[in-house]
Amino acid sequence: MQRLAMLFLLTLVAISVSAKPNDAYLKMFAMPPAEDPCYDYDKARLCIPDFVNAAYEAPVVASSTCGAQQPQRYCEYQDHQTRATTATTATATGSSGSGSSELQCHSCEANNFPPRALTDLNNSNNVTCWRSAPIVPGGSGSGGGGDNVTLTLSLGKKYELTYVSLQFCPRAPRPDSLVIYKSSDFGQSWQPFQYYSSQCRRLFGRPSRTTVTKHNEQEPRCSDAHRHPGHDGNGGLASRIAFSTLDGRPSARDLDSSPVLQDWVTATDIRIVFHRLQQPDPQALLAIEAPADLRTGKYSVQLGGNTIESHSHSAAAAGLHYAVSDFTVGGRCKCNGHASKCSPDANGQLSCECRHNTAGRDCERCKPFHFDRPWGRATARDANECKSEYTETNI
């Protein structure tokens, strides 16, 4: 009896081991194959990485930072609540209450306003700012070389850029003139991307309005539009500057067919050079007793006209500075249409995950032994897949 029971159990085990579910049963639980953005089944097609803020957490080098060497004074516009209090006090005392563009000063120390604040997470409820050292208009400056202060952003790889944006700190003085530069060779050489100024021709030798044609699509323009969007309590200047790399350029709609514009939007680094601030009325600055007011941190001056000539070198003027809360660069990792992702390579460098039998950090060449057709940038019409004479496999 025991022998029969054992034989029965062995038979059941053998049946369970040999039994296999059929293909139809397995397909019920099979995951669908992951779609490859670079191939339509077995046919190569144009693919591009996601649009990103290429500046996010990227390193920024500032030529000047408030309080980096020693405590310094910086001045900013009073907020609406402070202005209302000032106006009420002025009315009660019988003094002038015209404080619509007044400045209030504070002190800064090391790491209060570091450059890393430019590319951190932008939170409107907790605004972080970089501030330059105080500016002495037309002079040697305080660690910043007069009015000229630079911010240099390293992207770490070639990107094709759509825009460059600067968000200025609330209540901070606004720049009147600045230049956006780009480098396509990791900072070895620089070319101007865009000029901004209220006096384009006088400062940069360019008109404030320029029509771009197909003959000058790589020419930077100068704009004074940042002075006209409306009043925000800061002398009428904009709280943000946003430069669109392709705006008004005729070949923008067909970028794949325009090597000129492809080169124009390509950058590895961005540099901002602030040339000139909007300045307060020099007569008001001369009336300030700086040492006494510095101790209280509560003096104010009236904002006056904006002229290109140097203003007062008084101590109060040194509290004026450049201040930016957000430095954003929108674009895509440059992969020439041959990759849908960028990721760190074995050396830790950001590189394209190349498809179409291409290779290089930007998929800028064919893989070895795949030279049966010349390398080309992928387009919507032709993926320009690199071919081998001996194989047609999709690698």
Side-chain angles (χ1 to χ4, degrees), residues 58-62 64-65 113-120 129-131 151:
V60 180
V61 176
S64 169
T65 300
F113 305 108
R116 65 175 177 272
L118 292 162
T119 56
D120 62 2
C129 287
W130 160 83
R131 296 181 190 271
L151 297 174

Side-chain angles (χ1 to χ4, degrees), residues 4-328:
L4 288 174
M6 182 66 69
L7 182 62
F8 179 73
L9 289 174
L10 291 173
T11 302
L12 288 177
V13 170
I15 293 173
S16 63
V17 170
S18 60
K20 295 181 180 179
N22 58 37
D23 291 341
Y25 180 79
L26 290 175
K27 286 180 179 178
M28 292 173 60
F29 303 98
M31 295 293 292
E35 181 180 357
D36 189 338
C38 298
Y39 287 92
D40 184 6
Y41 294 101
D42 61 345
K43 183 179 179 182
R45 64 182 178 184
L46 168 72
C47 53
I48 55 176
D50 291 338
F51 187 88
V52 298
N53 171 16
Y56 180 62
E57 292 190 338
V60 180
V61 176
S63 66
S64 169
T65 300
C66 191
Q69 304 300 324
Q70 61 184 6
Q72 293 175 301
R73 177 182 56 246
Y74 69 93
C75 299
E76 60 182 356
Y77 296 92
Q78 296 184 42
D79 58 27
H80 296 295
Q81 182 177 358
T82 303
R83 290 177 187 176
T85 302
T86 302
T88 302
T89 303
T91 302
T93 59
S95 60
S96 174
S98 58
S100 60
S101 295
E102 293 183 338
L103 293 170
Q104 192 170 42
C105 298
H106 315 275
S107 64
C108 60
E109 298 181 357
N111 297 319
N112 283 165
F113 305 108
R116 65 175 177 272
L118 292 162
T119 56
D120 62 2
L121 182 64
N122 186 28
N123 183 353
S124 60
N125 296 319
N126 182 26
V127 177
T128 57
C129 287
W130 160 83
R131 296 181 190 271
S132 74
I135 301 299
V136 177
S140 58
S142 183
D147 277 31
N148 286 356
V149 174
T150 65
L151 297 174
T152 304
L153 170 71
S154 298
L155 303 177
K157 189 197 174 298
K158 287 184 178 180
Y159 279 81
E160 292 185 333
L161 305 185
T162 301
Y163 68 82
V164 177
S165 174
L166 294 173
Q167 176 73 50
F168 300 113
C169 299
R171 303 188 303 277
R174 300 288 188 256
D176 172 74
S177 303
L178 65 91
V179 185
I180 302 175
Y181 292 88
K182 70 151 189 164
S183 173
S184 301
D185 52 14
F186 300 95
Q188 295 184 46
S189 61
W190 297 88
Q191 70 178 91
F193 228 179
Q194 176 78 0
Y195 299 92
Y196 289 95
S197 180
S198 64
Q199 301 187 39
C200 286
R201 191 173 295 279
R202 188 170 182 184
L203 276 179
F204 303 121
R206 295 173 178 273
S208 58
R209 296 287 185 272
T210 302
T211 301
V212 176
T213 68
K214 286 194 174 184
H215 301 289
N216 64 342
E217 286 194 301
Q218 272 190 304
E219 181 178 330
R221 294 183 292 183
C222 188
S223 172
D224 60 2
H226 66 299
R227 295 186 54 79
H228 306 302
H231 293 274
D232 63 351
N234 293 282
L237 299 180
S239 61
R240 177 185 292 270
I241 283 180
F243 163 57
S244 173
T245 60
L246 292 173
D247 183 41
R249 300 183 189 270
S251 300
R253 292 180 177 272
D254 193 15
L255 183 65
D256 289 337
S257 300
S258 176
V260 171
L261 277 193
Q262 291 167 24
D263 179 68
W264 168 250
V265 300
T266 298
T268 59
D269 304 79
I270 296 294
R271 175 171 288 172
I272 309 297
V273 179
F274 297 102
H275 281 282
R276 192 160 62 96
L277 274 167
Q278 187 190 37
Q279 299 293 339
D281 182 356
Q283 297 302 317
L285 290 176
L286 290 173
I288 298 297
E289 293 294 336
D293 292 328
L294 179 58
R295 287 194 296 270
T296 64
K298 294 182 179 179
Y299 64 84
S300 60
V301 295
Q302 298 295 318
L303 184 69
N306 191 30
T307 61
I308 196 169
E309 289 77 14
S310 296
H311 292 305
S312 169
H313 287 232
S314 69
L320 300 175
H321 64 291
Y322 301 106
V324 181
S325 65
D326 192 40
F327 189 173
T328 307

